[in-house]
Structure formats: C-alpha cells, structure tokens
Amino acid sequence: MEFQFLGTSSGTPSKTRNVSGLALRGPGGGWSLVDCGEGTQHRILDTPLSLHDLRAIFITHLHGDHCYGLPGLLASAGMLNRTAPLALVGPPALRTFIDGVMATSELGLPYPLDYIAVDGLAGTPVLPDLAVDAIALSHRIPSWAYRFTERTVERKLDATRLRAAGIAPGPVWGELQQGLDAVLDDGRVLHAADWLLAPRKARTVIVGGDNDDPSLLLEAARTAEVLIHEATYTEEVLLKVGPAPMHSSALRVARMAQAARLPNLVLTHFSPRYQDGAGPLSMGALEAEARGVYTGSLFLARDFDRYVLGRDGTLAAKYFL
Amino acid sequence: MEFQFLGTSSGTPSKTRNVSGLALRGPGGGWSLVDCGEGTQHRILDTPLSLHDLRAIFITHLHGDHCYGLPGLLASAGMLNRTAPLALVGPPALRTFIDGVMATSELGLPYPLDYIAVDGLAGTPVLPDLAVDAIALSHRIPSWAYRFTERTVERKLDATRLRAAGIAPGPVWGELQQGLDAVLDDGRVLHAADWLLAPRKARTVIVGGDNDDPSLLLEAARTAEVLIHEATYTEEVLLKVGPAPMHSSALRVARMAQAARLPNLVLTHFSPRYQDGAGPLSMGALEAEARGVYTGSLFLARDFDRYVLGRDGTLAAKYFL
C-alpha cells in the first residue's frame, strides 16, 4: 500500500503547500483520492497518476480547502475521455455541491458518477482491494475519517513442515498455496488450511478529516498501521486561537497516537503560518511537540512526498526534493 | 494600463499553462481580475498581486475553466481578513453558482460581495479609473467581452503658445493645467480650454471570453488599442474538430483584427494540444497563421507574462522566463 500527498496546507495554499489532497493506492490496481482541494488536478499533472485509473474519491468534509478542486478534476477527467464510472464518497451534501456546480457551469461528463453517502458506506463495496469504513470526527461541519484495510492477505506455505513431512516442492505445493486440498501419490489428502502459515495482519491506513478530538480515533488507531491526521497548530497557537476553528494540535494527536500504541503517525494540514526553519512558528516546532510525547515513527507530510507501507507494517517515506 | 496573464490554457491546465485568468490594472490604484479558473489564487501567490487590492472580478462566462477558481479565491481573501467590498460582474447565474457553493461548503466571508449582472453593467460604475461595458459574444453558453476604457485623460498645456503669448511658467500655468480659468496681473482672463492641447485618446483594452464569431468585436476593435481574444485552435484543427465547441481559430481572430486595423492583438486560451516547438500542433503554427493575415503587433500570451500599454498606445510585453 502506498500514498502520496498532493496538498498539506490548511485553509489556503502557500507557495510550497497546496490545500488537502491525498492519493492512495492499495495492493490492487488503480488509485483513490482522499479530499480534493483546489489545485489538486494541477498537482496530479506533476505525478505519474492518471485520471483514467482513479477509482474513487473520498471527501472527508465539505470545507472548501477539501473539496473546491473536485469540479475541475471531474471536468478534466471528462476532457480526457474517461468513460469508467467514478465513485464519489462523502457527506450527503457533496451531491448537492457537485450537482449545483455542474448545473450552473453546464458541465456534462462522459462517465457516470456513483454517489455514496458516507453513512451508507458500510454496505457498499467501493474498492475491490480495500475495505473502507468511516469514523465520525468532531469539526465545525460533519467530518469523517476513512479507514482503508486490505481485503485479502496472501498466506504462505509452511515449507519447513512440508519438507519435514517428506513432501517435496512440486505441483502439490502450488495447490495448497492456492487454498486447495491436494492428493498425494499415496492417496493421502492434504488440507490447505493445515499447511498454510497463519496470515499476516491485513494492513490498515486511516486518513482523517479536520477534527478537534483525536480520541475519537483511539480505538481505530489501536489496530491501524498508519494514521494520517491534521495537526493544524502547535498547542501554544491552538490555545491562543481558541477552540472555535475546531482543529487539533500536534501535541493532542501525538498523545492519542501514543496511547493507542500506533506504529506510524503522519501529520498534515498545517496552518500556513508554520514555515521551514526554527522558532515557535516552524515545522520544527510542530515536530518537536509531537516527538515529545510520541515514540512511534513520526512523519510531517510535505507535498509530493510518497509513503510505502510494507507488508511487515513498516512505513517508508520517499521524499520529493 | 497593464495586464498580466495568470492562465492561458483552454479547458484544462497543462504543466506550463493554467486555465483562464487575467489581472488588469488601470491608471488608478488596485487591480481587477477577468475570469478565475481553478488555481488562479495559486498563480497570484507567485506575483506581487494582493487580494486586498483586488477591486472587481469580471467573469466572461460560466464554463469551469473560467470560474472554478472563484470560490477558493474568495475564501482565501476572507482568511486574509479582507473587509473591503468586492464587485463580482458576470452572467446572472454567477450568483447562483457562488451562493450554492458557499451554502454547501458553509463559507462565510468577512467582506461583502457586490453582484453586478453583466446586462446591468452600463449603469453601474464598477471601477473609479476605468469605464467598463460588455459586448455579447457567441459561445455554447452566454459569453461576454469586457471593454475597459480610461475614464479621464490628462491634458497637456500648450506651452509653445503660452510662451509665444508672453506668459511665463508660473502659478498661472498650474491653474490652467488643472482646468481652471486664470487671471493675469493685467486683468486678462485666460480660459483653460483655450490653452490645453487636444486630449490624447483614452486607452481601451478589450478582454474577450470564449467566442466563435470574432466579427462581433469588429466595431469595438476599431477604436481599441488592445484586444485579448481566445485562439483555441489553428484553422486546420478547428475544421477537424467541427463547430460544436464554438471556439475561434487564430486565423479568424487575426482576420477580424486586420479588418479593424487593431494595433495590438494578444491571443490566448490555447488548446493544450499546442506545445512549444515546431509542427502543426505548436505555438509556432498558431502564430504563423495569425501573422499571415495580421500586420499589427501580435502577441501569444503565456502565463505570468506582463504587458504595459503606454499612453501613446504602444503595447510592450515583459516576458516571464
């Protein structure tokens, strides 16, 4: 599984960070987009991602910095002659938003949009390779986290035991690997379940929307490999700004991640007031605050950075420079 | 007067060209924006332009590549704590578009929007330094050109005649320059109108929206210094694509400009199929086609290029490299 940030700024774009957008790829083909702030299609032009392979778009909430890029991206996919249906998952008002924009701008699309309201997601298989469910967050408007979990996990043959039982590598191994029962030359029947190692854990990545209460994700984070969560402010700035914007500080997210023993935490959605360099309004200040309480693998997202989550649950960042 | 291109691509952005947007500055303070495709606010970040000094936005028509950047730009101006009213000029459905997006995304703005429907523009003074009127074009949806003309033109004293009449430079000259009558020491009264040179022509810049019939601008172009017009295709491609998209070729616009004896023609809104270099799908092909029939000053717009229109009607390009 892998993901790439297309935008990591909160509210407005800066010269180096666009507003929210995340490309996510499961073990199957194609990719999904989580949030689509203005300029997401422009970011995509600078990646190998194609709008033809996009399978679904998940919108966490309807604030502009998370959805204003959607009409333009849909239009461009149309001008590229996309014909495959595209799933649009989000709050119910997402459909009102898109229908309204399409009507006033007389936008027609050569492919169907399949709207899936976030509260009806449980019964709808959106992606072939990833099971997706949504977790309600706390923000000024309804906001959600999406949890993506591998649907199937490959199982390995217990080669050591097979060899010890005198069964040499050959067609029988192949049948067992596929989950089939196999019959030996001497008539013995081997049941696949007896000769496969216990499956590894299916990988889970959670992508949060805007949220001022990280504890809402505590239970989910206990069984996830990765949480991508907003850290709009440092705690000092959050206390100064007050609770009205309903965002999280790096400190609060990191505390929850530590309590959940989450292995990999990726922070994003930074207020444009934070710049590179040192001082209280720097990315370093956000990072230091999180590192002070969180002992897992911590990452601060930047636009275009790619992350690969290995089968063993290790998250590796491939920085864009 | 000057203008700067923020986007010069038709339909979808490319790696080097964004969709439509043009910053226009008259002789007074502040600036105006004509069209606001997705990513216009991102382009503005890379210019000295400030959303605080923006006085008015003119939308030629409601296709997405000309207006999808508007909600995000309005939101960002709000986050920058803009308080001055902003004029929004466009087709009547512009208000439906913005109201719908603001409602579904719960966008509030700390400054008022003054909607001015394009057909009510004649009686509404939008800008202090430029008179603006609109000319209907021909496109798949209602589309307009905006004509910007200096409201006042400075007049020069006829220094030669004053000196010949024995009136030396002094306070009297200042009064006449301001258009006031002046009384000489000997009691003679000089009327300003008698001692001012004929005013130069007020400069006019026309910015067209999408349009498949350049002749609709023929009369206006006869008295304009500059026309900025779409040239989506070469004539060859236009004939291949057919008339349905209702765009112009470089050839058709240039022919009209020649017929109008227009001094400066700036082509823009190029189909992304045209690239730098040579061949039938190159910017060179678009340029050659126009130069073949037009003998005035011809320019092919590129993103970020700035143009300065001098008082003498000369248009100078300041290329961004």
Side-chain angles (χ1 to χ4, degrees):
Chain A
M1 293 174 74
E2 58 180 74
F3 49 90
Q4 181 173 23
F5 286 90
L6 302 172
T8 59
S9 178
S10 145
T12 67
S14 75
K15 283 197 184 193
T16 55
R17 296 176 182 272
N18 195 27
V19 285
S20 292
L22 181 88
L24 177 81
R25 200 183 280 280
W31 61 287
S32 297
L33 180 64
V34 183
D35 283 338
C36 187
E38 182 186 354
T40 295
Q41 65 162 323
H42 299 68
R43 283 298 201 233
I44 288 170
L45 285 177
D46 286 321
T47 71
L49 298 165
S50 159
L51 293 181
H52 283 291
D53 305 328
L54 177 60
R55 293 183 307 193
I57 302 176
F58 299 84
I59 300 293
T60 61
H61 67 298
L62 287 175
H63 277 154
D65 57 328
H66 295 255
C67 70
Y68 283 175
L70 200 41
L73 184 141
L74 298 179
S76 287
M79 281 180 264
L80 290 170
N81 298 316
R82 180 191 172 105
T83 54
L86 180 62
L88 281 190
V89 183
L94 176 61
R95 182 167 199 158
T96 314
F97 167 63
I98 294 298
D99 284 354
V101 172
M102 288 181 66
T104 46
S105 59
E106 299 196 15
L107 171 63
L109 296 174
Y111 58 91
L113 296 177
D114 293 339
Y115 286 98
I116 300 160
V118 64
D119 41 11
L121 186 55
T124 316
V126 183
L127 302 172
D129 54 345
L130 296 170
V132 194
D133 66 345
I135 300 160
L137 302 175
S138 164
H139 194 49
R140 307 198 298 279
I141 61 176
S143 181
W144 303 81
Y146 291 101
R147 174 164 56 179
F148 300 87
T149 303
E150 288 178 283
R151 283 190 188 279
T152 54
V153 170
E154 71 291 348
R155 291 183 67 177
K156 283 188 178 162
L157 277 184
D158 191 341
T160 311
R161 275 183 58 235
L162 280 165
R163 283 206 176 84
I167 302 161
V172 165
W173 284 43
E175 286 164 33
L176 294 173
Q177 174 75 72
Q178 289 170 58
L180 304 171
D181 292 344
V183 184
L184 301 182
D185 290 344
D186 62 10
R188 269 189 296 162
V189 175
L190 302 187
H191 299 294
D194 299 337
W195 300 94
L196 290 167
L197 292 169
R200 68 170 171 83
K201 180 183 175 305
R203 288 166 288 179
T204 293
V205 174
I206 303 171
V207 187
D210 289 5
N211 177 34
D212 72 352
D213 184 0
S215 75
L216 293 169
L217 291 168
L218 181 66
E219 280 312 304
R222 286 191 207 280
T223 55
E225 277 64 41
V226 180
L227 169 64
I228 301 165
H229 197 283
E230 65 129 311
T232 307
Y233 310 119
T234 45
E235 182 69 13
E236 184 186 348
V237 168
L238 189 150
L239 292 173
K240 208 174 289 175
V241 168
M246 297 185 74
H247 285 300
S248 286
S249 68
L251 181 70
R252 296 178 192 195
V253 182
R255 273 193 187 137
M256 181 281 289
Q258 182 68 14
R261 303 176 69 92
L262 175 83
N264 301 288
L265 174 62
V266 187
L267 301 179
T268 184
H269 195 270
F270 308 114
S271 161
R273 76 190 76 196
Y274 295 98
Q275 300 289 322
D276 289 335
L281 294 183
S282 68
M283 299 305 296
L286 286 158
E287 182 172 354
E289 183 169 294
R291 283 208 193 283
V293 297
Y294 176 67
T295 56
S297 289
L298 176 74
F299 303 86
L300 273 71
R302 297 183 315 175
D303 287 33
F304 294 117
D305 282 352
R306 268 181 61 220
Y307 290 80
V308 178
L309 177 61
R311 290 198 167 82
D312 64 354
T314 305
L315 186 65
K318 308 201 164 192
Y319 297 116
F320 172 89
L321 283 176
Chain B
M1 291 176 76
E2 57 179 76
F3 49 90
Q4 181 173 22
F5 286 91
L6 302 172
T8 58
S9 178
S10 145
T12 67
S14 73
K15 284 197 185 195
T16 54
R17 295 178 184 271
N18 196 29
V19 284
S20 291
L22 181 88
L24 177 80
R25 201 184 280 278
W31 61 287
S32 298
L33 180 64
V34 183
D35 282 339
C36 187
E38 182 186 354
T40 296
Q41 66 162 322
H42 299 68
R43 283 300 202 230
I44 289 171
L45 285 177
D46 286 321
T47 71
L49 297 165
S50 159
L51 293 181
H52 282 292
D53 305 328
L54 177 61
R55 292 183 306 194
I57 302 176
F58 299 84
I59 299 294
T60 61
H61 66 299
L62 287 174
H63 277 154
D65 57 327
H66 295 255
C67 69
Y68 282 174
L70 201 40
L73 184 141
L74 298 180
S76 287
M79 282 181 263
L80 290 170
N81 299 315
R82 181 193 171 102
T83 53
L86 181 62
L88 281 189
V89 183
L94 176 61
R95 182 166 198 158
T96 314
F97 167 63
I98 294 298
D99 284 354
V101 172
M102 287 183 67
T104 46
S105 60
E106 300 197 12
L107 171 63
L109 296 175
Y111 58 90
L113 296 177
D114 293 339
Y115 286 99
I116 300 159
V118 64
D119 41 11
L121 186 55
T124 317
V126 182
L127 301 173
D129 53 346
L130 296 170
V132 194
D133 66 344
I135 300 160
L137 303 175
S138 164
H139 193 47
R140 309 199 297 281
I141 60 176
S143 181
W144 303 80
Y146 292 101
R147 173 164 56 177
F148 300 87
T149 303
E150 288 178 284
R151 282 190 189 279
T152 54
V153 170
E154 71 291 346
R155 291 184 68 176
K156 284 187 178 160
L157 279 185
D158 191 342
T160 312
R161 274 184 56 238
L162 280 166
R163 283 205 177 84
I167 303 162
V172 165
W173 284 42
E175 285 163 34
L176 294 173
Q177 173 76 71
Q178 291 169 57
L180 305 170
D181 291 346
V183 184
L184 300 182
D185 291 344
D186 62 9
R188 270 190 297 161
V189 177
L190 302 187
H191 300 293
D194 298 335
W195 300 95
L196 288 167
L197 292 169
R200 66 171 172 82
K201 179 182 176 305
R203 288 166 288 180
T204 292
V205 174
I206 302 171
V207 187
D210 290 5
N211 177 36
D212 73 352
D213 184 0
S215 76
L216 293 168
L217 291 167
L218 181 65
E219 279 314 302
R222 286 192 206 281
T223 55
E225 276 65 41
V226 181
L227 169 66
I228 301 167
H229 197 282
E230 67 127 311
T232 307
Y233 310 119
T234 46
E235 182 69 14
E236 183 186 348
V237 168
L238 189 151
L239 292 172
K240 207 175 289 174
V241 168
M246 300 186 72
H247 285 300
S248 286
S249 67
L251 181 69
R252 297 179 191 194
V253 182
R255 273 194 187 134
M256 182 283 288
Q258 183 68 14
R261 305 177 69 91
L262 175 82
N264 301 289
L265 174 63
V266 187
L267 301 177
T268 185
H269 194 269
F270 308 114
S271 161
R273 77 192 72 196
Y274 295 97
Q275 302 288 324
D276 288 335
L281 294 182
S282 68
M283 299 305 297
L286 286 159
E287 182 172 353
E289 182 168 295
R291 282 206 193 284
V293 298
Y294 177 66
T295 56
S297 288
L298 176 73
F299 303 86
L300 274 71
R302 297 182 317 174
D303 287 32
F304 294 116
D305 281 352
R306 269 180 60 220
Y307 290 80
V308 178
L309 177 62
R311 290 197 167 83
D312 64 353
T314 305
L315 186 66
K318 308 202 163 191
Y319 296 116
F320 173 89
L321 285 175

